[in-house]
Amino acid sequence: MNQSELARIMGTARNTATNWETDKSRPEFDTIRELCTLLGIPNAGLPSPGENRLLSQYRKLRPVSRKVVDNLVRNMLQEETNARDDMLRSNYLLQSIQATPMATGVGCPDTGLPPDYFFVKKTRRSSYADTIVQVSGRSMEPKYQDGDMVYVKFTLSADNGDDLVCVYHEGFIIKRMYDRKLYSLNAEYDFGGQHEFDDIVMLGRAIGIVEDDDIPASDDIPILEELFAREIR
C-alpha cells in the first residue's frame, strides 16, 4: 500500500499521509485507532474513548491550567507508587534459594554455586524458614512433586515423621525419617531405609511447600528487586 492508497482509504490528503510517515506530524488519536485497524497493528495500548475525551479537553486548557493538571497527576501517581511500594515491602520478603536441588531419589550432586535470591509472601512459615530448596524427582510423591519449592529450617533436631533435607555420598536428598532411618513416600522408588545417620549429614527440616500464592506476580518482581536492592547486594 502506497501513501496515495492509504490517504484515499483514510479520506485524507496524500501530503497528510506523507507527513505521518516522515514524522512531520502525527495523526489524531481516533485516526491512529483507524490506522491500526487498517494495517493490522494491535491497538490495545491506545487511549480509550474516555481517555481521548480527557486528552481533547486537556488540549483546550491554557498553559497555566495544564501545569496545574500536570502537577496534580504527578502527585497522584507518586502517592499511588508509594502506596504500592509500601504494600509490596510489607507483604513480601527476600529469601535465599539453594542452587543445588534436593533429590527425592538417590541424591543431587552439589553444583558448587551460591544461593540465589527469591521473593515470597511474608507468612509465618516463610518468615520462620532459613532457605528454600527445589525438589527433584518423584520418590516423595504425593506430598512433594518434581519441581516443588520447599521451605527449609536449618536444625539438627528432628522427630519421627519429619521430612529432612540431608547430604550423603550420593548428594543432597529430601526424605522422611523414622527410627533414625530415611524413607521415600512413593512405593515405586523405595529408598529402603537402609541408610543409617552415620552415613548422612542432616541439614534441616522441610516445613512446607512454597504455594503459588506465595510467589509475587511477574510484574511486581522488578519493583521488588528495586525495593530490596540493598539486601540483594
Side-chain angles (χ1 to χ4, degrees), residues 73-133:
V73 171
R74 187 181 303 110
N75 291 334
M76 291 176 68
L77 285 174
Q78 188 60 55
E79 288 179 4
E80 292 194 4
T81 298
N82 292 341
R84 178 206 63 194
D85 292 351
D86 290 343
M87 183 275 294
L88 289 174
R89 182 171 276 281
S90 62
N91 284 301
Y92 290 93
L93 58 84
L94 187 69
Q95 185 60 272
S96 66
I97 181 168
Q98 300 299 315
T100 302
M102 303 293 156
T104 59
V106 296
C108 287
D110 187 359
T111 64
L113 298 174
D116 202 350
Y117 64 85
F118 195 83
F119 294 106
V120 288
K121 186 175 292 183
K122 190 181 295 183
T123 64
R124 192 172 186 178
R125 179 175 292 168
S126 65
S127 300
Y128 181 66
D130 291 310
T131 193
I132 294 171
V133 299

Side-chain angles (χ1 to χ4, degrees), residues 105-177:
V106 296
C108 287
D110 187 359
T111 64
L113 298 174
D116 202 350
Y117 64 85
F118 195 83
F119 294 106
V120 288
K121 186 175 292 183
K122 190 181 295 183
T123 64
R124 192 172 186 178
R125 179 175 292 168
S126 65
S127 300
Y128 181 66
D130 291 310
T131 193
I132 294 171
V133 299
Q134 189 168 31
V135 170
S136 175
R138 298 180 52 203
S139 68
M140 288 296 282
E141 292 178 350
K143 184 169 184 179
Y144 304 105
Q145 306 294 322
D146 184 34
D148 278 350
M149 290 179 291
V150 179
Y151 294 113
V152 174
K153 179 68 178 177
F154 294 139
T155 180
L156 297 177
S157 63
D159 299 321
N160 278 339
D162 283 346
D163 296 328
L164 306 184
V165 171
C166 305
V167 61
Y168 74 126
H169 66 277
E170 294 282 357
F172 292 86
I173 55 173
I174 180 169
K175 294 293 177 184
R176 181 158 294 178
M177 186 197 79

Side-chain angles (χ1 to χ4, degrees), residues 162-219:
D162 283 346
D163 296 328
L164 306 184
V165 171
C166 305
V167 61
Y168 74 126
H169 66 277
E170 294 282 357
F172 292 86
I173 55 173
I174 180 169
K175 294 293 177 184
R176 181 158 294 178
M177 186 197 79
Y178 283 108
D179 297 331
R180 294 184 57 80
K181 293 184 179 181
L182 302 179
Y183 298 86
S184 299
L185 298 182
N186 189 341
E188 295 182 14
Y189 301 89
D190 184 24
F191 195 64
Q194 72 272 25
H195 296 280
E196 297 288 350
F197 266 92
D198 57 5
D199 185 36
I200 292 174
V201 176
M202 175 181 168
L203 302 176
R205 179 166 49 88
I207 59 174
I209 296 172
V210 179
E211 304 291 347
D212 291 342
D213 289 344
D214 293 346
I215 303 173
S218 57
D219 291 346

